[in-house]
Amino acid sequence: MTMTYRGTTALITGASSGLGAEYARQWAQRGADLVLVARRRERLEELAERLEREHRVRARTLPADLGRPGAATELRAELDALGVSVQTLVNNAGFGSHGPLADQEPARVAEMVQLNVMAVTELTRAFLPDLLADGRGALVNIASAAAYHSTPAMAVYGATKAYVLSFTEAVGYEARGSSLRVLAVSPGPVRTEFFDVVGTRDAAVGAMATPEQVVTATRRALERRTTPPSIVVGLGNRLSAAAATLSPRRVALAVSGRVLKA
C-alpha cells in the first residue's frame, strides 16, 4: 500500500543534504509537515522554503549540533515549547572517519560516538512514547552495511553503526504490539557528502547508491503490511552482510581489512 503522512510531522536529522534532504523531500511529497535539523542553517532554510513551495507543507528549521552532549534534550524541549508533536523520527545524522584508531583525534572520536550513538539513543527515547501513542508514523534509524562487519580503518564508525542496528531491532521488537513502524536502514556507499567528511574514497566499498534509491527502499519497506526490523539496501550489500554472518569472524575481519585498506 502507498502510505500518506498528511496530518503528521516528521523530524529528520542531518537534513541539510544527502539522505536527510531526500527523506524530507519524499515525506513532504506524501503530505508530512517537517522539522529539519542540521548544523547548516542556510541550507536548511533553502530546503524548507523549496519543500513548502512545492508540496504545500509546513517545514520548520531547527539548526543544532547533535554531536554536542545535551543537544537532543534541548531539541525536544524546543519542540515542546513550540507546541510541535512528532509522529515520525528519522535519525539520519552521522559521520565516519578513515584510518587507524591510534591516529584519530580523541575529540573527533568522541564526537562521532556522541552523534552516531548517543544522539540516536537520546532522540529515540525522547520521542518514542509519543510515536507509540500516535502510531501513524515511523521510527527510522540509519545504520550502515558496515554494521554487519568489523571495519578496520573505520573501527569506531563500524561499531557505532552495529549499535544502531542492534538497538533499533530491539526497540522494534518492544514496539511489536503497536502500530508504529520501526526500521533500521543499512545502505552501502551513497552519493552524498559522507566521503568528503571521511576524507577518502577507500571506504566506498561496492556500487554507489543514490539518496533517492535508499529513501525509496525505506518507504517501500515501511509500506509493507509487516515491516521488517531492518533492511540492507542493495543486492551486493545484502550478499556481503549474509557472507559476513556465515563466515568465521577471523576470515571476515581479514577480508574487511583488505577491502578498507587498513
Side-chain angles (χ1 to χ4, degrees):
M1 66 179 175
T2 299
M3 292 181 65
T4 177
Y5 292 100
R6 192 163 302 282
T8 70
T9 296
L11 168 60
I12 300 169
T13 69
S16 60
S17 65
L19 280 177
E22 182 62 20
Y23 275 105
R25 186 189 71 81
Q26 291 204 28
W27 256 249
Q29 192 176 49
R30 283 153 185 83
D33 291 331
L34 304 168
V35 177
L36 306 177
V37 180
R39 290 180 300 176
R40 294 176 290 190
R41 179 186 299 271
E42 184 175 335
R43 283 202 183 185
L44 284 180
E45 291 177 348
E46 289 174 357
L47 176 62
E49 181 181 347
R50 184 172 73 251
L51 294 177
E52 286 187 334
R53 183 177 63 251
E54 293 177 355
H55 301 293
R56 300 181 181 275
V57 297
R58 174 74 183 273
R60 292 176 172 85
T61 60
L62 293 180
D65 180 5
L66 294 175
R68 180 177 54 81
T73 301
E74 293 170 6
L75 177 61
R76 174 65 205 241
E78 188 169 359
L79 286 174
D80 286 346
L82 292 171
V84 176
S85 62
V86 169
Q87 288 75 40
T88 290
L89 171 61
V90 180
N91 280 308
N92 165 71
F95 73 91
S97 62
H98 186 272
L101 178 61
D103 296 340
Q104 303 290 309
E105 290 290 337
R108 190 65 167 165
V109 171
E111 183 183 5
M112 192 188 311
V113 174
Q114 175 64 38
L115 183 59
N116 294 9
V117 172
M118 290 304 300
V120 170
T121 305
E122 291 171 354
L123 284 171
T124 298
R125 175 59 187 88
F127 289 98
L128 184 59
D130 293 345
L131 302 183
L132 289 167
D134 188 279
R136 290 178 292 166
L139 169 63
V140 178
N141 291 335
I142 306 305
S144 168
Y148 293 86
H149 307 264
S150 297
T151 51
M154 298 188 76
V156 176
Y157 176 77
T160 64
K161 291 304 183 179
Y163 172 88
V164 172
L165 175 63
S166 175
F167 170 71
T168 308
E169 289 184 335
V171 172
Y173 185 84
E174 293 174 359
R176 68 193 183 282
S178 75
S179 58
L180 178 70
R181 294 167 173 83
V182 179
L183 183 66
V185 179
S186 294
V190 185
R191 293 192 187 102
T192 67
E193 297 174 358
F194 176 84
F195 294 104
D196 296 333
V197 176
V198 170
T200 179
R201 295 275 163 170
D202 287 346
V205 179
M208 281 272 191
T210 65
E212 183 176 6
Q213 288 171 326
V214 175
V215 178
T216 298
T218 303
R219 187 171 47 75
R220 288 175 177 169
L222 294 173
E223 288 173 353
R224 289 196 284 270
R225 187 173 297 276
T226 302
T227 303
S230 57
I231 60 169
V232 180
V233 182
L235 177 59
N237 296 319
R238 290 194 292 274
L239 293 174
S240 178
T245 302
L246 296 172
S247 300
R249 291 189 66 82
R250 184 176 63 180
V251 173
L253 179 61
V255 171
S256 292
R258 286 197 296 271
V259 169
L260 291 169
K261 298 179 174 59

